[in-house]
Amino acid sequence: MRLMSTTRTPALLLASAALVALMVISGLRPYDRATWWMEVLPVLIALPLLWATYRRFPLTPMLYALIFVHCCVLILGGAYSYARVPLGFWLQDLMHLGRNPYDKIGHFMQGFVPALIAREILIRGAYVHGRKMLAFVVVCIVMAISASYELIEWAAALAMGQGADEFLGTQGDPWDTQSDMFMALVGAVAALCLLSRMHDRQIAALATRDPSIARAAG
């Protein structure tokens, strides 16, 4: 485990430094300061947590990489606000959409990455047995996270009134909450379908280095 931690530290240090730099740059002149704080807060929580658990519960390389991408999505959304991210306008023009779809990318990632985080914790802790039950529980966890986030948005709307518009990013869509949760569901299912085999191999590789890491997905 010590050898594995030593070899992976430079990459994680570089990724952490990159995220800190991106947060600083995005926070210099964000479109809306309150929105920036609310969007980057998960990154501010995740970075210290990942480093605090790095030696006791190191994650698979794929999961660290996906968390990095998810953090970048959040930081970019915080800098511009989700309804104004330039990448979203480019996709809107390319796909002839009626609105900037960047917030849907954010909610897709909200399902895609947490699904694999939940999957890894459940497998290594041997909390769930059987692949079908594992997939079911992972999807349920993702939907609970998505619903909780929508409740946070609702609370922000009540507390901030019109000032919460940039954080909500509904762009006038009355079904925005439902479509957000649907995109999280799509993200979770996509992650399970596309990456489960690779995820299993990486968890197995961790287990060969540390026998205390359980693998109970089969």
Side-chain angles (χ1 to χ4, degrees), residues 124-145:
R124 290 169 57 178
Y127 299 117
V128 178
H129 298 275
R131 299 187 69 85
K132 292 181 180 179
M133 181 56 69
L134 175 65
F136 173 74
V137 173
V138 166
V139 171
C140 287
I141 290 172
V142 167
M143 296 310 295
I145 293 171

Side-chain angles (χ1 to χ4, degrees), residues 63 113-124 127 134 137-139 141-142 145 199:
L63 194 47
V113 179
L116 294 173
I117 295 173
R119 188 176 189 273
E120 186 154 325
I121 292 172
L122 292 173
I123 289 175
R124 290 169 57 178
Y127 299 117
L134 175 65
V137 173
V138 166
V139 171
I141 290 172
V142 167
I145 293 171
H199 198 203

Side-chain angles (χ1 to χ4, degrees), residues 32-40 77-78 81-82 160 163 166-167:
D32 181 79
R33 178 63 63 182
T35 298
W36 182 85
W37 276 111
M38 288 187 285
E39 297 298 353
V40 304
S81 85
Y82 276 82
M160 300 171 61
E166 299 301 333
F167 176 56

Side-chain angles (χ1 to χ4, degrees), residues 70-110:
H70 193 186
C71 288
C72 290
V73 170
L74 292 170
I75 292 170
L76 189 60
Y80 289 96
S81 85
Y82 276 82
R84 293 175 172 81
V85 174
L87 174 61
F89 286 128
W90 178 77
L91 290 173
Q92 181 180 357
D93 292 338
L94 179 67
M95 303 173 69
H96 304 289
L97 301 175
R99 54 172 286 177
N100 186 318
Y102 187 80
D103 68 314
K104 301 310 174 190
I105 296 174
H107 285 279
F108 177 88
M109 293 298 293
Q110 189 185 70

Side-chain angles (χ1 to χ4, degrees), residues 15-25 47 75:
S16 298
L19 287 179
V20 171
L22 288 173
M23 279 193 292
V24 171
I25 294 171
L47 270 180
I75 292 170

